[in-house]
Amino acid sequence: MSDANTNIVTNFGKVGVLFGGRSAERDVSIMSGTGVLQALQSRGIDAHGFDPAERTLAELAAEKFDCVFIALHGRYGEDGSLQGALEQLGIPYTGSGVMASSVGMDKITTKIIWLSKNIPTPRYATVVPGDDLDAIVADLGLPLIVKPPLEGSTIGITKVEKAEEFEAAVALATGFDEIVLAEEFVTGREFTVAVLGSGKHARALPIVEIVAPEGNYDYQNKYFTDDTQYHCPADLPAELTAEIQKHAVDAYRALGCEGWGRVDVLVRESDMRPFLLEVNTSPGMTGHSLVPMAARAVGIGYEDLCIEILRSARCKMVKAQG
């Protein structure tokens, strides 16, 4: 073992990699966590997998991890609930804290904060069963996107192209969340921006452009096919690249995110204006994932990326002074 690896082991101690969980994104989380676990172990780190769906918080505490890498996606892992438990247990963890995780998971609250900071995001409406859908169509126009605001990985999302399709789309989304997000459809190119660090040290990685078959970047095309094309760095004018990266970092900071994250962006075809869609505070780390792709573009390999993220692990709550 090299001296560098010896230092890594000494610095991190016993590391838990949390993956799996009980959300609709469980399968993707298992793929992410398996990759992270293997990467850390390959560097000599004493890393162990832990699935919160199969083991209790008492067992997590009994493991006496020095820190944990959160590779959970969606509810109960990315939404602040687990982060709160880890704060109570005093276990340092990767990624954003309780508040940023909770807010970032909620696409509606995220939009409210972004709009208060003049960060561009598509116009939207909140919908519950029984609302006047015709009025929403009149306001936002067609097509529009209907999605559950607390899910990820395109789960429960429908593109509504005809008014008569709206009700079924709302019914599908309410299978996941009681309140539904209806968003104006922006026709254009799809991008994502990975962000590393915290506060004034947060930095954007090269932009990734996503070119999915027939423009449909759904669950299948995200994780299980090779038909989707990715271009990194994205072929964009330097000025627009800088604008998108600035918006992404501003959006990340506005929510108080830290460690790492990914901001999804659409650039409108008609005027090349960027619109931010959402922030992911626990991005995928699978073979198809975009944060590792962006990191590779600046010479950061998968294992080094995992270690950089792990180095940022800490408890975020300030302890009261006795």
Side-chain angles (χ1 to χ4, degrees):
M1 185 180 296
S2 70
D3 291 341
N5 281 348
T6 300
N7 289 336
I8 288 173
V9 174
T10 301
N11 289 340
F12 292 123
K14 185 179 180 182
V15 176
V17 179
L18 308 187
F19 62 89
R22 296 186 286 126
S23 81
E25 300 177 71
R26 173 177 173 82
D27 291 345
V28 178
S29 174
I30 290 172
M31 290 190 290
S32 289
T34 300
V36 171
L37 181 62
Q38 292 173 348
L40 297 180
Q41 290 175 340
S42 75
R43 293 296 182 88
I45 295 171
D46 183 23
H48 306 262
F50 188 99
D51 187 344
E54 298 178 351
R55 302 177 67 185
T56 67
L57 287 175
E59 289 177 282
L60 178 61
E63 286 284 352
K64 298 189 181 302
F65 291 125
D66 292 292
C67 60
V68 295
F69 191 118
I70 298 177
L72 293 157
H73 308 315
R75 300 174 200 263
Y76 317 117
E78 191 176 353
D79 62 359
S81 56
L82 177 68
Q83 287 75 9
L86 292 168
E87 294 284 355
Q88 291 292 330
L89 294 172
I91 302 173
Y93 58 94
T94 57
S96 295
V98 177
M99 183 63 73
S101 297
S102 178
V103 172
M105 191 70 193
D106 187 335
K107 298 176 183 65
I108 294 171
T109 306
T110 292
K111 279 178 168 288
I112 293 169
I113 293 173
W114 283 353
L115 289 170
S116 75
K117 298 288 188 178
N118 296 316
I119 294 168
T121 186
R123 294 185 307 125
Y124 74 100
T126 57
V127 188
V128 295
D131 279 354
D132 185 346
L133 302 185
D134 290 337
I136 294 172
V137 169
D139 180 36
L140 298 180
L142 290 172
L144 54 80
I145 294 293
V146 176
K147 62 182 78 171
L150 301 178
E151 286 292 346
S153 292
T154 66
I155 291 170
I157 291 182
T158 305
K159 180 181 178 182
V160 174
E161 301 191 72
K162 300 177 181 178
E164 54 266 31
E165 299 170 349
F166 198 178
E167 186 173 357
V170 171
L172 174 64
T174 52
F176 299 93
D177 292 322
E178 293 180 359
I179 300 175
V180 172
L181 173 63
E183 191 174 60
E184 69 171 326
F185 183 78
V186 176
T187 301
R189 296 162 65 185
E190 188 167 358
F191 303 89
T192 196
V193 186
V195 181
L196 298 179
S198 307
K200 66 181 181 180
H201 300 296
R203 69 190 193 278
L205 295 179
I207 299 172
V208 179
E209 180 169 13
I210 303 157
V211 184
E214 300 179 357
N216 184 23
Y217 193 47
D218 61 8
Y219 188 84
Q220 183 69 21
N221 285 329
K222 273 189 175 184
Y223 301 111
F224 300 106
T225 74
D226 294 318
D227 296 331
T228 301
Q229 298 178 32
Y230 303 96
H231 305 294
C232 183
D235 184 14
L236 291 167
E239 186 175 337
L240 181 56
T241 294
E243 180 185 0
I244 293 171
Q245 289 177 316
K246 182 180 185 304
H247 282 317
V249 172
D250 287 347
Y252 178 92
R253 289 173 176 160
L255 301 189
C257 298
E258 64 175 272
W260 64 321
R262 198 194 72 230
V263 180
D264 295 337
V265 183
L266 286 171
V267 173
R268 190 161 59 192
E269 189 175 58
S270 61
D271 59 3
M272 297 299 285
R273 181 184 174 193
F275 292 87
L276 279 62
L277 300 179
E278 62 183 274
V279 63
N280 188 319
T281 57
S282 182
M285 291 290 284
T286 74
H288 286 76
S289 293
L290 305 177
V291 175
M293 184 183 303
R296 284 196 300 272
V298 289
I300 303 174
Y302 186 91
E303 292 82 3
D304 288 333
L305 174 64
C306 291
I307 289 170
E308 178 170 347
I309 294 167
L310 187 60
R311 285 194 191 282
S312 70
R314 68 182 187 91
C315 286
K316 281 74 173 174
M317 291 184 180
V318 178
K319 294 182 180 179
Q321 298 296 315

